[in-house]
Amino acid sequence: MDSQLSSWKDKVVDLLYWRDIKKTGVVFGASLFLLLSLTVFSIVSVVAYIALALLSVTISFRIYKGVIQAIQKSDEGHPFRDYLDKDVAVSEELVQKYSHVVLGRINSTVKELRRLFLVDDLVDSLKFAVLMWVFTYVGALFNGLTLLILALISLFSIPVIYEKHQAQIDHYVGLVNKNVKDAVAKVQAKIPGLKRKVE
């Protein structure tokens, strides 16, 4: 099971780093097309159009193969027989494994939110408040679908850019982190009650 997970992660990394340009192009293009379609049509319409397009292709291919078999008097059988015979059931082990992972993430998120909203650590709660305040402006500028489109484009472009310019990016990120930490330390030193709790 761990080897399957590792293999799956490798495939995702290969997609994001454009190792196979054709596969990545298809996944990126289809995902972007889907999200852009959702900006114009409702999700019900998009799902219906995609289903109709797939059915049009498979039905046409099935009829075409049937006509060719009748003309050539061959006995090739159903063109999709290999796919129909494959087992596509989701195993109970897989569902249990991922449900445990998802449940763990949900529980840790709930604990963290409880900690932030009930001000267990004033600094962390203030940071969270600033983040939510920034999100009010982001939400006013973009809707959720636009943010998903921007996230998809970033997901397929940032890893490649980082891979090509890693040294320069790490240098500037280090400088920004140092300046932010210095500024936070100065603010914490001047305002009583903002010092982090010692764990």
Side-chain angles (χ1 to χ4, degrees), residues 29-44:
S31 303
L32 189 59
F33 178 75
L34 176 68
L35 290 175
L36 289 173
S37 299
L38 288 172
T39 61
V40 179
F41 303 106
S42 71
I43 191 164
V44 175

Side-chain angles (χ1 to χ4, degrees), residues 104-149:
R105 294 274 166 89
I106 289 172
N107 286 336
S108 65
T109 302
V110 167
K111 285 179 184 173
E112 184 64 19
L113 288 173
R114 180 184 66 182
R115 194 180 73 75
L116 291 170
F117 279 107
L118 298 179
V119 196
D120 183 43
D121 183 349
L122 185 60
V123 174
D124 287 345
S125 293
L126 287 173
K127 285 180 188 176
F128 185 65
V130 169
L131 181 67
M132 292 300 106
W133 178 71
V134 169
F135 277 168
T136 62
Y137 286 98
V138 171
L141 295 174
F142 305 106
N143 65 20
L145 209 47
T146 306
L147 290 175
L148 278 176
I149 291 169

Side-chain angles (χ1 to χ4, degrees), residues 7-8 20 37 98:
S7 170
W8 185 79
D20 185 347
S37 299
Y98 285 109

Side-chain angles (χ1 to χ4, degrees), residues 122-196:
L122 185 60
V123 174
D124 287 345
S125 293
L126 287 173
K127 285 180 188 176
F128 185 65
V130 169
L131 181 67
M132 292 300 106
W133 178 71
V134 169
F135 277 168
T136 62
Y137 286 98
V138 171
L141 295 174
F142 305 106
N143 65 20
L145 209 47
T146 306
L147 290 175
L148 278 176
I149 291 169
L150 292 173
L152 180 73
I153 292 169
S154 300
L155 193 64
F156 280 89
S157 59
I158 289 175
V160 176
I161 293 169
Y162 179 73
E163 188 177 49
K164 289 184 179 179
H165 305 285
Q166 186 173 359
Q168 297 97 320
I169 292 171
D170 286 346
H171 173 71
Y172 288 115
V173 167
L175 287 175
V176 169
N177 277 341
K178 183 181 179 300
N179 289 336
V180 167
K181 283 180 182 176
D182 290 347
V184 167
K186 285 178 185 175
V187 169
Q188 285 177 341
K190 292 189 180 202
I191 300 176
L194 278 187
K195 291 191 177 176
R196 266 189 186 282

